[in-house]
Amino acid sequence: GPVMGMLTKLWSGRDELVLPKTADYHPPCLGTESVHPISIRYWPAYVKNPYQNLFYGRANEQFRAEPGDPLTALSDVYSKPNATVCFHVHWLNFLFKEAERNNDGYASFDQFLMNCRRIRDAGGVVAWTVHNLFEHESPDRSFEQRFRSELAQIADIVIVHGDQLAQEVAQAFSVPVQKLLSIPHGSYVGVYSNDVDKTAARSLLGAPKVETLFANVGQMRSYKGLSNLGAAMDALQEDSSVGLLLAGQAGEAERVRVEDMCKTLNNTLLQFQRIQNDELQLYLNAADFVVLPYEQILTSGSAVLAFSFARPIIAPALGGLRDLVQDNVNGFLYDPLAEGALLGALKRAVATSNDDRAAMSDAALATAASLRWSLGRFKFANAIAQSCPDACRNSQSAGGRRVALV
């Protein structure tokens, strides 16, 4: 549309992501004079999402991370005898897709676990970041429970992004507490363009002219609770000073649901499209509050992103959101099980004075600024080095291995 054409002219050629200063790697203080270089293979690799680039930072002689599957990592264990090789697992949805493609039942999963064991037996380290307790649209919850529990037993290090998640993950997959490593999800401050203010952003988007604009930005999926948000907004219809901005990609079923929901809502801007990196600032800066009405969530990159644009958040007290959002400071938390709680949180936001909104915005940005990628990288590097002492490196037995001291 015309807005997209305008944006293309404004920001053509500026869609490259910038690694902020926090992406620099600081060598770990391990209390030893000689530190083996750390060589990481991470899987799967999400090129369009800056998370992994920021998490691992810039490579140097002591710390290098590259994409690679378990067999690549296993090869590295043998070909890099002087390095500590770590295979780092992220999202498991790739395995589900692979199994579906191969139509091989659970063989892909068995092979994956076997290869992870081979990495450990050869003297490598296996790490797993638990981004979700389960796949958002899990095809087989009981199987996934068993698979994730098995992976947790094999892994030396199980990472969670938030202190309150550690117990949740430990209980879900019987993870020994000494394997758990809680590190902050770093912020996106300075990663995306941010030079268009609220007035200009609303004008460019053609957003409703209201005093309070709530926004939900990103891929629209059922677990994100947009129908709950629609119902709460419907109850606010009598207040003409309130509006809603929804933007992101959606599958056919979700698109139909969201379109139907918005038909009865006033002051609503709905855009179905993939939001480019340089357009994020428009959708987030246009908002007064970002609403994340998840029905289930463990780690929310969307929350960190909103804070990185100084936007207060309205969210349920679930998962890592409990670590991030301080009620009435940088956002509003509500009880996900209490009827009308989301509506109550929206009303609290509407009633917030401009001065208090400015203070909440400052607090949101301060929260983001405190979330340093370098701190997480430091803790991760220490955990890897402590997981694989010289005695077990390249041995053919995992016996005698020390688990991560975190």
Side-chain angles (χ1 to χ4, degrees), residues 164-165 168 291-300 303 313-327 331-338 341-342 345 348:
Q164 295 199 49
L165 303 184
E168 216 172 316
V291 189
L292 303 171
Y294 292 108
E295 293 179 358
Q296 53 174 351
I297 192 66
L298 197 66
T299 302
S300 175
I313 292 168
I314 296 171
L318 289 173
L321 292 168
R322 294 167 298 174
D323 282 314
L324 281 173
V325 183
Q326 293 175 271
D327 189 65
F332 296 108
L333 280 178
Y334 63 89
D335 181 351
L337 300 178
L342 171 55
R348 288 174 72 196

Side-chain angles (χ1 to χ4, degrees), residues 30-56:
L30 297 169
T32 58
E33 290 183 14
S34 64
V35 178
H36 289 278
I38 291 170
S39 178
I40 297 169
R41 290 288 182 176
Y42 60 89
W43 180 95
Y46 270 99
V47 181
K48 292 179 180 176
N49 187 332
Y51 169 86
Q52 286 169 318
N53 279 342
L54 294 165
F55 182 88
Y56 298 114

Side-chain angles (χ1 to χ4, degrees), residues 2-16 192-197 200-202 204-205 275-283 285 309:
V3 171
M4 303 319 297
M6 192 185 309
L7 293 179
T8 304
K9 288 176 185 173
L10 273 173
W11 293 298
S12 58
R14 285 185 48 202
D15 204 35
E16 289 298 310
Y192 298 101
S193 300
N194 189 10
D195 46 22
V196 177
D197 65 17
R202 289 189 181 184
L204 277 167
L205 291 174
I275 299 168
Q276 303 301 320
N277 291 332
D278 266 324
E279 296 159 13
L280 268 172
Q281 63 166 330
L282 293 184
Y283 295 94
N285 286 340
F309 280 87

Side-chain angles (χ1 to χ4, degrees), residues 219-230:
Q219 194 172 27
M220 301 180 197
R221 293 171 70 178
S222 57
Y223 74 92
K224 292 190 174 180
L226 293 183
S227 55
N228 296 337
L229 176 56

